[in-house]
Amino acid sequence: MSAVVVVDPGLTRELRRAVLRPHLTADDVLPGDDRPDAVHLADLAGDGRPLCASFVFPQPCPWLPGRTAWQLRQMATAPAARGSGHGRAVVAAAEAYAREQGAAVLWCYARESAAGFYERCGWQRHGEVFTDADHPTAHQRMWISCR
Ligand SMILES: CC(C)(COP(=O)(O)OP(=O)(O)OC[C@H]1O[C@@H](n2cnc3c(N)ncnc32)[C@H](O)[C@@H]1OP(=O)(O)O)[C@@H](O)C(=O)NCCC(=O)NCCS
């Protein structure tokens, strides 16, 4: 049995580092962890271990200007826990949280390899797969309407 709750970023930091930024060390600051407005969510196992984590924060969506939007970052499920619905549960909780805060849209820059996961969660692709200075590997703009 697991449950998605709001957590302190420190609880999920190692999971997010190991899955998404394995080149960083325990002393490095993860991108986004310095944001005071970030709300961290985690699906916790019965013993309190984070099985899946992510965070959200208010941020305009570049391709949907004028709509109140929140961004999702650093979705990570522990390798041994994948394929069991923990990712879907965290994304659903993120969407619900953003909606409660007044968001009309939740969006992200998804790794291309994870775009199918977001689609399974009801998200839409926007535009083509891209790379840029901040995203040197293939990424896909994705979003979901919260209302
Ligand atoms: C992508 C990730 C978060 C998915 O987490 P998860 O807990 O395994 O996902 P779930 O079990 O909730 O899967 C929900 C659905 O998405 C599907 N799915 C999961 N990962 C997928 C992927 N990479 N591509 C396509 N579909 C995927 C599942 O099969 C499931 O489908 P269903 O609706 O038919 O049951 C996880 O694989 C992960 O941490 N990957 C490495 C880090 C990463 O790429 N994060 C995303 C950064 S943008």
Side-chain angles (χ1 to χ4, degrees):
M1 192 65 183
S2 64
V4 182
V5 291
V6 174
V7 297
D8 185 276
L11 183 69
T12 63
R13 185 187 181 287
E14 179 52 24
L15 171 60
R16 291 180 290 114
R17 186 205 65 77
V19 171
L20 297 165
R21 302 284 192 281
H23 57 285
L24 296 183
T25 71
D27 295 330
D28 292 326
V29 176
L30 284 185
D33 273 6
D34 50 354
R35 286 193 74 112
D37 56 355
V39 177
H40 287 252
L41 298 164
D43 198 1
L44 301 182
D47 61 4
R49 274 178 305 116
L51 300 170
C52 177
S54 187
F55 65 91
V56 290
F57 51 95
Q59 186 76 14
C61 178
W63 59 93
L64 293 169
R67 296 185 70 180
T68 307
W70 281 51
Q71 184 176 351
L72 177 93
R73 277 194 84 173
Q74 291 179 15
M75 266 299 299
T77 301
R82 289 181 193 164
S84 300
H86 301 298
R88 183 191 292 280
V90 167
V91 163
E95 192 187 329
Y97 190 95
R99 183 189 309 115
E100 284 165 14
Q101 303 305 310
V105 165
L106 183 62
W107 65 278
C108 75
Y109 295 120
R111 292 183 180 189
E112 205 272 337
S113 56
F117 159 73
Y118 290 102
E119 285 183 314
R120 295 297 301 161
C121 294
W123 290 49
Q124 302 180 48
R125 295 173 186 255
H126 175 81
E128 302 298 321
V129 172
F130 71 96
T131 59
D132 62 22
D134 292 331
H135 305 91
T137 60
H139 276 69
Q140 173 71 58
R141 297 172 184 85
M142 301 202 75
W143 67 285
I144 189 167
S145 177
C146 297
R147 296 183 182 157

